[in-house]
Amino acid sequence: MRYKYFASLFITMVFLGACSTKPKNDYDLNYDFKTLQSFSQLAPQPNDDPLSAQRIQTEISQQLRQKGFTESQSSPDFSVAYGLLTQDKPKDSGLSIGLGTGSFGRSGGIGIGTSVGVPLGSDTAKIQTIQIDIIDTKTNKLIWRGSDSFDFDVGGDKKAQDTAKAVSRILAQFPPQP
């Protein structure tokens, strides 16, 4: 009976870990983020995806304004820069390892098995990683950085929505709460 419990707990943890992604962030622990009120965006670096770049820039402005920050080109408290990286999605090896339990009559047991599969479907999947940097304009130092990634197969409306969600997830952690 104990084997079944541990096996089901293990499987549940694997599924939950695979389904949830949390953006990563880091920040200056000694910085007083409460002083920030206005921002400007720095010109983005040239990249191979100008449509996503424009979407990211628009979403950053919207998200920061929703948080109560004002956009100011004349004397902002902080500047926002972002980076965008698109990579091919790594292919699965096709090797699976399974763990199972079972019982028959009064006896029970644990089994471990492997299987090798042939990957099906399109091999055009990509991963897009967005990194957003917050820079203090007085000192010109990085004070906060956040990043997140998402998979996509094609562009269009779905990719635009995923881009907006990724930017929203990143900036949901800014400013950091003590």
Side-chain angles (χ1 to χ4, degrees), residues 29-43:
L29 298 173
N30 299 315
Y31 193 85
D32 183 9
F33 289 91
K34 294 176 186 171
T35 63
L36 301 177
Q37 296 178 355
S38 60
F39 72 96
S40 68
Q41 288 200 50
L42 298 175

Side-chain angles (χ1 to χ4, degrees), residues 11-33:
I11 291 169
T12 302
M13 288 174 37
V14 168
F15 280 120
L16 289 176
C19 295
S20 64
T21 71
K22 184 175 181 185
K24 296 169 182 57
N25 74 66
D26 195 11
Y27 57 93
D28 183 343
L29 298 173
N30 299 315
Y31 193 85
D32 183 9
F33 289 91

Side-chain angles (χ1 to χ4, degrees), residues 85-152:
L85 177 65
T86 304
Q87 299 173 301
D88 289 329
K89 183 177 179 180
K91 297 192 192 246
D92 288 337
S93 67
L95 175 65
S96 299
I97 299 174
L99 174 67
T101 64
S103 64
F104 183 75
R106 288 198 217 170
S107 60
I110 293 179
I112 297 177
T114 62
S115 68
V116 177
V118 178
L120 298 175
S122 173
D123 61 352
T124 61
K126 303 266 186 200
I127 297 175
Q128 190 155 62
T129 303
I130 301 168
Q131 176 179 298
I132 299 174
D133 291 342
I134 306 292
I135 301 152
D136 183 302
T137 55
K138 293 172 186 71
T139 62
N140 204 30
K141 290 187 178 180
L142 178 69
I143 57 173
W144 187 90
R145 172 174 282 168
S147 65
D148 197 12
S149 300
F150 64 91
D151 298 351
F152 68 95

Side-chain angles (χ1 to χ4, degrees), residues 63 67 167-175:
Q63 291 293 322
K67 289 179 168 285
V167 171
S168 178
R169 284 190 306 262
I170 294 167
L171 290 177
Q173 300 178 356
F174 177 79

